[in-house]
Amino acid sequence: MNQAPIPPLIVQGDQTLLLDVHSPLFQEAREELSPFAELEKSPEHMHTYRMSPLSLWNAASMGMKEQQLEDILNKYSRYAVPEVVLQYAQGILSRWGKIHLQPTEEENVLYLKVDDPYLHREISAHKRLKKYLTPSETGFFLDMLNRGSVKLEMIKLGYPVDDLVPLRDGDPLKVQLKEKLFNGRDFVIRDYQQDALNAFVGKGGPGTGFGTVVMPCGSGKTVVGIAVLAAQKTHTLIITPNVASLHQWRDEILEKTDLTVDDLGEYSGDNKTIRPVTLATYQVLVWRKNRLSDFPHFRVFHQANWGLIIYDEVHLLPAPVFKVTAEIQAMRRLGLTATLVREDGAEEDVFSLVGPKRYDIPWKQLEQKGWIAEAYCHEIRIELDDDEKLNYAVADRRKKYRLASENHRKFEITQALIEKHKDDLVLVIGQYIDQLNKIAKILNAPLITGKVSNKEREKIYSSFKKGEVPVIVVSKVANFAIDLPDASVAIQLSGSFGSRQEEAQRLGRILRPKKKNSHFYSLVSRFTVEEEYAQNRQKFLTEQGYKYHIEIWDQFREKL
Amino acid sequence: MKKWEGWLASLNDKAFFELYRHYIGKVKTPYHKQDLMQDFISWIKADENQQAIVELLDSEEAALLCLIYYQQPITPLDLNALMLQNCDKLVLNLQERLLIFNLEGHIQINPYLKGILVEKDILHPQRILNIQEASLGHMGFTADDNFLTALLIFLNRDDRVFVNDNQLSKRIIQDFKKTFTHLITDIDESMLYPWIKGFLKLGLLDKKDDMLLLGSKKDLKTFSELSPLQRSWNIVLSLCPIDLQDISIQIIQWIITWDKGSFTLDDWKKMVIFFHPNARAEQLKQWEIFGKNLISLGFLKSRGQRLFPQVQWLKEKEEPTVPPLLQPNGDFHLTPQTPFCWILPYTTEITGLGSFLQCTVSRRSFERGCKYQLRADLWIKSLEDLTGSPLDSSFATLVKEWDKEFFAMDIFPTYLLSLSDSTAGLLRKSDSLAPYILRELGDNQWLMNWEQRDLWQEELHRLGLSFYPPDERHSQFTPLNMEQQRNHGKGVVLKVLEPLNPAKLMSLDHWQDNLDAAAYGELISRRDRKLILNNMTVNEELLKGEVRQARGLDYNAKIRLLETALQPPKERIILRLPGEELEPKELELDPIELIKKGAESILRALNLETDKEEEIAVRKMLLIQRFPKSLI
């Protein structure tokens, strides 16, 4: 007789949900949990989800009721679900739908409907909200322009706004996805990309059409963006971190849709053409003459009747762009990212202004399915020289980090590793230009920094793709959106202190599926503060299930 | 039987005939006292009479009978101590009702009634305590292995735990509430005190100034080698008074057999008396403190006046077999089936506590363990033993790196072994000592392992090098012998007893017209003293002649009653006098004489409580009752 599997879920009193990866019910439970709980950690054996106000409101906005949530928890829970957890979830969920944002007869005026008289009083007395709102008996009037700001403040107050104001349709765009790629292969939207598309588009009614999709590097976020563009069929503004990634978007749109070069505009430092689909960079948007002047390029948001704005790498969205995003709440908005981790803690801003997280998938899950490359992470530790140890001992903490990062013995390791991977394409990534210059010279490899022109960069990338140049050295400019399909080894010489998203993005450079497994080496000075920063940097990836193999260089060298 | 008959025979005539007339009726003359005694014995043997006597018993009377039954031999003074109140009046009343008798200063149960008292569970030891069948279900938290591990992890802190006067710091209280609130619903910081105290007593914690340190690795390891049940027992008993440890084991073993029992703090106090009648006042006080500590600890759950033992703490448990799950990021998950892990408190921090205990090992937390000389190799080996699988190699490397860095400079306790040339040679030749040598210093001196001192000292002894090294830090933790515990408390089985609902007192209204006021008053008094069992026990003649109480306003009646009591053989009296704050007070007295002082009549009597003579004006007496002293 078959025994029923042991339920995979452990509901803790602090609203965390532990999910046993090895249970046969894991997959089923994961799918039912993810609408109302955020994946917090996903190491090897036990994944941790958390029910946060944002995740619960997100679920409520998708129509989830308290009873459904309770049923799911009871269904999968190994032990009795703590009463306190149900009460918490009930309390948070009940806040959803208490406040609605509705259109009024006047085009530029919206109505914030608040039925609860106590809440009405609380909002009336709220310092920062006061300036946006004109009270009426059961709500408040507000200017269309303040739609985002009010939503953001309300979230901070603990009450999400159910935005029922229909999104504005932009100018229509005739666009179709192609069936064949340039290389003749079929163009197929993968199942998880389709899921992400569906989650974003929803039923098309009020409350849908804005939000964020979180997917690992190399899993085809751009494809999701293009699929959304093709589904919405409207004039679209796509904002990317830099010109290289802008060009990558451009190339992919041309390859995967029937749009032509004439349909695509580029709004960058070099070129400012507005077309039905326009690609811009954060860099150009936030440019201004001086700290006191306006941002002149924000006009791009209003220069056309956009129906969709796509924020690529939304975790990098600069603060001033949040401000303008708050003003364009009537447009459809899609945020794409691999790591919704912001070291500045502005996740709430992304939720309120771009939209809630609509889709998220663990990295390891895609790796298992073969959609991203299997990657091995290594942390190689090497001691400082005796002279450096002395300098290190007397330095302040910041200087210590710099000395440890620039440990010159890292050069010998880099050379040895490149020798080990002589048949692979290797990226050497670092933070400090001096260090990168030196290693580029030693390796006789091209160096890409912010000063290298786009034209020159593309030339190097092209040689790299062809295998003519097996190693390139890149500074932090290459953290994002470099399309290097065949890079399978990355060696990280140094990084920006404990930045988790930088580490994840750098790993992402080698995650595109390929015949070989990928290797990520992070070089760290032993017995220094760099070890602590390295541990912090690795947090996001270890929580996603990546395992760092820690090696001591003197012993590891013998294995090579 | 003989004893009771002997007591009956020893009564003076006045007392004997009064009893006879009351229970059996008029004494027919001529009489032979032996025949009358036989009548009495036949009367008391009759089922209906026994039934009638026993039916009137209430729970307080049953408790007293129970104490008398179990605490043989017992004096009236002992009884007062055991009942935590003066119960002379009740004792006298039970004697009048033939349930007990006083022979040579020791009170005993009437053997003729013992059968029915046992049959009706009146003499069940549980009657001593006011135990009620009541259950709040599983209402408190369970101090299981995960809780013990979590609390020790929590208490291994870098910051000050205590402020002035050994008060817990605000910070630790806040952190405690924050960390444990999801496990303990009605969390109260006062519970930390007995837990810390218990851990200190067990040697699992050590207090140094305002800080808490974990105990020695040896003690924690010994603790981890116990069964979960033994651990729980050790915790519960850690706070008991040392000289009451055996009694504590007996009592706790007794109360945990009740699935649905509850009792009051007063009952708790009586329990020790029941098991240890010679307990001194100081021990009783300590016992009471122990009870209060168990309440704070969470083992006794308090609801209103009643206490509910959390029996699940000390229920036989399945041996936990699920090892802690270590993830590659250093997170541990401990299920409810995970045994106590002695190494985790030294080296981890709590990240979540609910059905599972979640903790994590970080560089900082591992370094805390390094301060206890917990080396990476031992840590890894212990974990591997626990999990039965090798530790992830990268994580092992990481831990070794932390260890190496921490111990780059080291101050550690060690023994300096200094030997003469001749004995040094012996040591050099012996391979068996090599594992314990930390360093050879030259000049026949060696640094020896501190932790393993027992082993190498034993080895030296085996080699013929006996010596007596100073060893000031003995292990503090001595686990309880559980076999011994299991034998305690046997034969005391709690059962669900029928509550005692005393039969209704007879209605005597119809006698009011037939008797004068004094006789009717006496009748009512006898009825209230539960002496009226049936119509046979309403003896008009006796009532008229034997007024046994007089009230305040009837001055002449009071004088007459006192004069009767003073006639030989003298009787004992109980007086009710106006007390402070409108509360009347009662005195039990042996009357000596009535004195006239002017117009005032004064009673001189011996106060049995203070053993001092007193003079009391008759007019002040609110109520006087007399009892045949011969019964006492």
Side-chain angles (χ1 to χ4, degrees):
Chain A
M1 206 170 86
N2 285 341
Q3 276 193 325
I6 296 169
L9 184 67
I10 295 96
V11 183
Q12 298 277 71
D14 61 356
Q15 291 92 44
T16 53
L17 311 173
L18 307 175
L19 191 59
D20 184 348
V21 175
H22 308 298
S23 164
L25 296 174
F26 165 73
Q27 187 62 24
E28 184 186 319
R30 193 195 76 81
E31 279 166 18
E32 294 213 46
L33 290 182
S34 53
F36 62 87
E38 282 168 9
L39 178 67
E40 204 170 59
K41 296 179 183 182
S42 51
E44 207 171 329
H45 309 295
M46 194 76 79
H47 287 188
T48 305
Y49 287 80
R50 183 177 290 279
M51 290 193 293
S52 68
L54 287 188
S55 70
L56 287 167
W57 291 329
N58 200 17
S61 75
M62 307 288 279
M64 176 165 275
K65 301 277 179 259
E66 292 155 24
Q67 191 55 49
Q68 271 174 283
L69 182 140
E70 194 176 330
D71 290 346
I72 293 169
L73 292 181
N74 284 326
K75 182 177 170 189
Y76 294 106
S77 185
R78 193 172 296 175
Y79 309 100
V81 177
E83 197 61 33
V84 64
V85 173
L86 297 175
Q87 283 166 0
Y88 166 82
Q90 194 181 354
I92 298 290
L93 282 175
S94 69
R95 291 183 171 207
W96 177 261
K98 281 204 167 164
I99 300 170
H100 300 283
L101 194 61
Q102 300 169 337
T104 64
E105 286 173 1
E106 279 186 65
E107 197 186 348
N108 291 323
V109 177
L110 301 176
Y111 186 62
L112 190 71
K113 193 165 184 306
V114 183
D115 290 329
D116 184 331
Y118 296 103
L119 189 54
H120 189 281
R121 195 174 297 174
E122 192 180 347
I123 295 170
S124 304
H126 192 271
K127 239 182 189 178
R128 285 195 297 274
L129 277 166
K130 248 183 194 174
K131 60 182 175 191
Y132 301 123
L133 304 172
T134 310
S136 78
E137 202 175 323
T138 58
F140 304 87
F141 291 98
L142 63 134
D143 193 297
M144 172 75 96
L145 272 180
N146 295 327
R147 183 174 173 179
S149 308
V150 168
K151 278 160 64 177
L152 187 56
E153 287 302 334
M154 287 301 298
I155 277 278
K156 286 178 181 162
L157 192 63
Y159 288 91
V161 174
D162 188 4
D163 190 342
L164 299 177
V165 182
L167 296 174
R168 201 185 61 203
D169 289 328
D171 288 343
L173 174 71
K174 278 185 84 173
V175 57
Q176 286 288 337
L177 293 175
K178 281 184 185 166
E179 290 183 358
K180 296 275 182 197
L181 298 171
F182 288 154
N183 59 14
R185 283 197 300 205
D186 289 345
F187 171 46
V188 182
I189 305 263
R190 296 170 189 165
D191 55 355
Y192 65 89
Q193 290 165 336
Q194 187 65 46
D195 290 345
L197 169 67
N198 295 344
F200 175 79
V201 174
K203 289 176 184 165
T208 61
F210 55 98
T212 307
V213 167
V214 183
M215 280 169 29
C217 301
S219 62
K221 290 189 292 293
T222 317
V223 174
V224 174
I226 291 169
V228 169
L229 164 66
Q232 299 296 337
K233 298 189 189 310
T234 183
H235 282 208
T236 299
L237 175 64
I238 300 168
I239 315 173
T240 67
N242 51 41
V243 175
S245 79
L246 183 152
H247 289 168
Q248 182 192 330
W249 269 90
R250 182 195 60 200
D251 295 347
E252 290 216 34
I253 291 170
L254 290 174
E255 186 185 33
K256 294 176 174 100
T257 70
D258 59 359
L259 294 174
T260 64
V261 177
D262 294 340
D263 296 316
L264 303 183
E266 180 176 325
Y267 198 96
S268 62
D270 303 336
N271 196 339
K272 295 188 179 54
T273 48
I274 306 282
R275 299 270 170 79
V277 175
T278 297
L279 298 137
T281 62
Y282 292 129
Q283 219 171 350
V284 74
L285 289 179
V286 296
W287 179 88
R288 55 180 167 173
K289 274 184 182 165
N290 56 55
R291 282 182 60 199
L292 298 174
S293 58
D294 289 338
F295 297 98
H297 298 298
F298 279 1
R299 62 175 178 252
V300 74
F301 288 100
H302 305 290
Q303 272 181 331
N305 185 18
W306 306 120
L308 172 67
I309 298 185
I310 298 176
Y311 301 90
D312 190 21
E313 309 293 1
V314 70
H315 61 279
L316 290 177
L317 200 72
V321 182
F322 273 126
K323 205 175 161 197
V324 72
T325 304
E327 293 168 12
I328 52 164
Q329 291 291 301
M331 294 178 201
R332 287 183 172 74
R333 306 173 299 281
L334 169 64
L336 295 171
T337 183
T339 54
L340 202 45
V341 174
R342 288 188 68 108
E343 306 295 341
D344 64 359
E347 287 91 345
E348 270 183 357
D349 297 40
V350 177
F351 177 90
S352 301
L353 302 178
V354 178
K357 184 163 71 179
R358 301 291 188 190
Y359 187 76
D360 190 1
I361 188 162
W363 293 41
K364 281 284 164 183
Q365 211 168 317
L366 290 189
E367 186 186 286
Q368 279 161 13
K369 289 183 176 176
W371 292 123
I372 57 177
E374 199 171 335
Y376 295 94
C377 302
H378 311 261
E379 179 186 317
I380 299 181
R381 296 189 172 188
I382 184 160
E383 286 197 43
L384 292 167
D385 273 348
D386 288 347
D387 288 351
E388 282 182 321
K389 273 184 190 165
L390 201 61
N391 291 333
Y392 179 85
V394 295
D396 63 27
R397 190 171 172 86
R398 205 175 172 81
K399 181 87 174 145
K400 274 188 162 102
Y401 180 72
R402 180 81 189 246
L403 282 167
S405 298
E406 293 190 305
N407 181 354
H408 69 87
R409 293 192 63 199
K410 290 181 179 179
F411 296 151
E412 99 190 45
I413 307 177
T414 308
Q415 284 173 287
L417 290 173
I418 289 170
E419 177 60 25
K420 184 188 174 199
H421 293 283
K422 55 187 169 205
D423 298 329
D424 296 307
L425 293 179
V426 181
L427 285 175
V428 177
I429 311 173
Q431 169 86 356
Y432 303 106
I433 302 299
D434 282 357
Q435 185 186 34
L436 295 174
N437 269 323
K438 282 179 192 163
I439 191 71
K441 265 187 200 162
I442 293 169
L443 299 173
N444 194 22
L447 168 65
I448 299 174
T449 66
K451 287 182 182 166
V452 177
S453 69
N454 289 326
K455 205 174 162 188
E456 181 62 21
R457 280 187 208 185
E458 304 228 347
K459 202 173 137 194
I460 297 169
Y461 291 162
S462 173
S463 310
F464 187 68
K465 283 178 198 172
K466 287 176 197 159
E468 295 162 1
V469 173
V471 180
I472 54 174
V473 180
V474 286
S475 74
K476 63 180 180 182
V477 295
N479 281 357
F480 306 102
I482 311 175
D483 183 21
L484 298 168
D486 295 324
S488 56
V489 177
I491 301 170
Q492 179 175 245
L493 286 177
S494 52
S496 172
F497 294 95
S499 171
R500 291 166 290 171
Q501 50 104 336
E502 184 181 78
E503 186 94 349
Q505 296 290 349
R506 286 179 173 177
L507 174 70
R509 301 306 101 212
I510 55 170
L511 285 185
R512 286 178 190 277
K514 58 186 87 67
K515 285 176 189 164
K516 284 182 163 183
N517 290 329
S518 298
H519 291 270
F520 182 77
Y521 295 95
S522 177
L523 311 189
V524 174
S525 290
R526 201 176 175 195
F527 306 136
T528 70
V529 292
E530 200 183 15
E531 288 178 349
E532 289 169 43
Y533 286 113
Q535 227 190 331
N536 198 60
R537 292 172 66 83
Q538 293 160 10
K539 256 186 194 165
F540 177 79
L541 289 174
T542 49
E543 283 161 7
Q544 287 292 336
Y546 285 93
K547 201 160 82 178
Y548 277 78
H549 298 268
I550 298 172
E551 315 276 7
I552 309 302
W553 172 241
D554 296 332
Q555 296 153 14
F556 187 61
R557 180 168 40 194
E558 290 163 17
K559 289 193 224 163
L560 287 179
Chain B
M1 308 291 179
K2 287 255 185 297
K3 279 188 178 174
W4 188 73
E5 288 162 21
W7 166 77
L8 202 58
S10 72
L11 289 177
N12 63 51
D13 284 355
K14 186 184 170 190
F16 177 78
F17 286 120
E18 189 179 322
L19 280 179
Y20 188 94
R21 285 202 301 273
H22 176 72
Y23 285 108
I24 299 168
K26 207 172 172 182
V27 179
K28 289 172 189 165
T29 49
Y31 65 83
H32 186 270
K33 200 174 174 186
Q34 282 304 319
D35 293 340
L36 298 181
M37 277 177 59
Q38 276 310 314
D39 290 347
F40 221 116
I41 290 167
S42 304
W43 185 88
I44 197 103
K45 276 176 158 177
D47 285 348
E48 66 272 21
N49 294 332
Q50 292 191 351
Q51 199 76 28
I53 291 172
V54 172
E55 265 178 6
L56 290 171
L57 284 169
D58 63 24
S59 57
E60 190 188 6
E61 291 159 352
L64 192 71
L65 288 173
C66 219
L67 270 178
I68 293 168
Y69 180 63
Y70 286 102
Q71 300 295 310
Q72 284 303 318
I74 191 163
T75 66
L77 275 177
D78 291 339
L79 261 182
N80 286 344
L82 290 171
M83 289 292 283
L84 307 171
Q85 59 182 331
N86 186 322
C87 50
D88 289 351
K89 199 172 158 185
L90 188 55
V91 168
L92 286 170
N93 178 246
L94 290 175
Q95 288 185 128
E96 282 186 299
R97 290 156 64 191
L98 307 177
L99 284 150
I100 55 173
F101 64 101
N102 185 336
L103 193 66
E104 295 166 356
H106 291 113
I107 302 171
Q108 303 175 47
I109 297 284
N110 183 339
Y112 284 102
L113 294 174
K114 187 180 149 189
I116 188 168
L117 290 172
V118 170
E119 181 194 322
K120 290 192 173 293
D121 280 332
I122 304 291
L123 295 182
H124 194 282
Q126 203 176 308
R127 296 281 184 206
I128 297 171
L129 314 168
N130 182 21
I131 295 158
Q132 290 177 5
E133 189 186 357
S135 175
L136 294 184
H138 180 69
M139 58 185 178
F141 73 102
T142 301
D144 58 8
D145 277 346
N146 268 357
F147 177 80
L148 296 179
T149 310
L151 193 55
L152 282 169
I153 294 174
F154 174 79
L155 291 171
N156 182 21
R157 307 165 65 86
D158 292 329
D159 54 349
R160 283 171 71 198
V161 170
F162 299 102
V163 289
N164 300 335
D165 301 329
N166 283 338
Q167 293 297 303
L168 290 170
S169 70
K170 270 185 190 168
R171 189 173 179 166
I172 191 173
I173 289 170
Q174 280 168 359
D175 287 357
F176 178 63
K177 286 184 170 173
K178 211 167 99 189
T179 311
F180 286 84
T181 194
H182 302 302
L183 190 71
I184 308 170
T185 44
D186 47 355
I187 196 163
D188 175 3
E189 68 264 25
S190 65
M191 70 183 296
L192 261 181
Y193 289 97
W195 275 102
I196 291 174
K197 203 170 157 190
F199 283 155
L200 286 168
K201 283 203 167 183
L202 292 174
L204 305 179
L205 285 180
D206 212 352
K207 185 171 180 290
K208 195 173 180 191
D209 303 325
D210 294 335
M211 308 273 287
L212 279 176
L213 304 173
L214 285 176
S216 73
K217 295 193 285 293
K218 191 179 169 194
D219 280 352
L220 261 76
K221 199 161 184 290
T222 310
F223 189 67
S224 76
E225 283 160 0
L226 300 176
S227 74
L229 183 64
Q230 286 173 320
R231 277 192 283 276
S232 300
W233 267 104
N234 276 283
I235 292 293
V236 170
L237 292 172
S238 62
L239 298 166
C240 79
I242 291 173
D243 53 349
L244 290 178
Q245 196 182 62
D246 283 350
I247 304 288
S248 307
I249 296 170
Q250 287 183 51
I251 292 177
I252 292 169
Q253 280 199 327
W254 186 44
I255 62 176
I256 60 167
T257 58
W258 324 333
D259 275 336
K260 294 177 175 178
S262 75
F263 48 86
T264 64
L265 193 59
D266 274 347
D267 297 328
W268 171 257
K269 289 185 234 166
K270 284 177 196 168
M271 284 182 204
V272 76
I273 298 164
F274 176 61
F275 280 93
H276 184 27
N278 300 321
R280 300 185 308 275
E282 180 55 30
Q283 288 176 312
L284 293 180
K285 190 75 204 157
Q286 286 176 348
W287 178 257
E288 187 180 348
I289 294 169
F290 177 40
K292 286 177 180 167
N293 275 334
L294 289 182
I295 296 171
S296 301
L297 199 70
F299 176 66
L300 295 179
K301 192 82 195 159
S302 156
R303 281 282 184 279
Q305 295 295 309
R306 303 203 68 78
L307 301 173
F308 297 79
Q310 298 299 284
V311 295
Q312 73 278 6
W313 285 31
L314 300 174
K315 285 269 182 216
E316 221 31 91
K317 296 163 193 181
E318 265 184 43
E319 204 58 42
T321 49
V322 180
L325 175 72
L326 174 59
Q327 309 235 55
N329 63 350
D331 283 352
F332 283 96
H333 296 277
L334 282 75
T335 80
Q337 289 80 37
T338 302
F340 176 78
C341 304
W342 70 273
I343 48 170
L344 297 188
Y346 290 103
T347 50
T348 61
E349 287 161 355
I350 297 174
T351 53
L353 187 54
S355 302
F356 272 32
L357 163 62
Q358 296 163 263
C359 50
T360 191
V361 58
S362 62
R363 179 199 187 97
R364 188 166 156 258
S365 68
F366 189 82
E367 281 178 0
R368 209 177 287 145
C370 292
K371 289 178 191 164
Y372 292 88
Q373 299 296 312
L374 182 58
R375 302 300 303 255
D377 288 342
L378 176 64
W379 193 86
I380 291 166
K381 187 180 178 309
S382 303
L383 259 187
E384 288 180 345
D385 288 348
L386 211 60
T387 57
S389 55
L391 194 68
D392 174 83
S393 61
S394 288
F395 200 72
T397 309
L398 190 66
V399 167
K400 283 178 186 168
E401 284 288 282
W402 291 337
D403 175 277
K404 195 162 185 178
E405 196 173 356
F406 184 87
F407 289 102
M409 186 185 85
D410 194 12
I411 301 171
F412 57 91
T414 177
Y415 276 96
L416 176 70
L417 182 65
S418 185
L419 299 175
S420 64
D421 288 344
S422 55
T423 46
L426 194 61
L427 187 133
R428 285 200 183 92
K429 281 180 195 162
S430 163
D431 292 338
S432 58
L433 278 164
Y436 310 113
I437 296 172
L438 297 177
R439 208 159 296 161
E440 183 169 356
L441 300 176
D443 294 334
N444 299 336
Q445 289 186 326
W446 288 265
L447 291 182
M448 305 297 289
N449 188 304
W450 174 274
E451 295 286 338
Q452 294 171 313
R453 56 194 175 280
D454 291 346
L455 299 175
W456 58 259
Q457 284 168 17
E458 197 182 308
E459 195 57 36
L460 280 175
H461 183 74
R462 210 179 55 76
L463 293 173
L465 300 175
S466 294
F467 71 114
Y468 303 96
D471 187 0
E472 64 286 350
R473 200 183 187 301
H474 287 293
S475 174
Q476 298 180 37
F477 176 53
T478 315
L480 292 163
N481 179 343
M482 289 306 293
E483 278 315 305
Q484 193 189 340
Q485 287 166 35
R486 277 176 223 279
N487 292 330
H488 280 299
K490 272 190 179 168
V492 191
V493 179
L494 194 84
K495 57 198 270 191
V496 179
L497 298 178
E498 288 293 321
L500 287 178
N501 295 317
K504 269 193 175 176
L505 298 175
M506 276 177 73
S507 167
L508 300 169
D509 296 348
H510 57 285
W511 283 97
Q512 197 160 8
D513 299 334
N514 301 340
L515 295 170
D516 63 30
Y520 183 68
E522 176 60 19
L523 178 64
I524 296 301
S525 161
R526 285 183 174 234
R527 195 265 316 261
D528 293 347
R529 276 149 54 208
K530 300 182 182 175
L531 296 173
I532 305 298
L533 305 175
N534 47 39
N535 284 327
M536 283 288 290
T537 45
V538 183
N539 186 329
E540 282 179 73
E541 292 305 312
L542 191 67
L543 293 170
K544 282 172 189 163
E546 294 295 335
V547 175
R548 293 208 159 266
Q549 72 174 31
R551 289 186 182 275
L553 290 174
D554 193 346
Y555 187 80
N556 289 335
K558 288 195 285 186
I559 293 289
R560 273 200 306 277
L561 192 105
L562 287 173
E563 283 170 351
T564 314
L566 282 163
Q567 282 170 16
K570 283 181 183 175
E571 292 178 317
R572 181 163 291 178
I573 59 169
I574 290 174
L575 286 188
R576 192 175 295 166
L577 296 168
E580 285 171 14
E581 295 176 3
L582 303 174
E583 253 327 288
K585 62 172 181 179
E586 278 193 355
L587 299 180
E588 199 179 336
L589 306 163
D590 268 345
I592 299 170
E593 60 176 343
L594 261 177
I595 319 164
K596 266 284 197 207
K597 283 193 179 171
E600 190 90 87
S601 287
I602 306 286
L603 173 71
R604 193 162 70 84
L606 181 72
N607 185 328
L608 292 172
E609 196 178 348
T610 60
D611 207 25
K612 284 182 182 163
E613 278 188 22
E614 290 193 29
E615 289 189 356
I616 305 156
V618 175
R619 69 180 164 79
K620 285 187 180 173
M621 298 173 184
L622 301 174
L623 177 79
I624 312 170
Q625 288 178 310
R626 65 184 176 88
F627 290 89
K629 199 176 172 184
S630 54
L631 290 178
I632 299 167

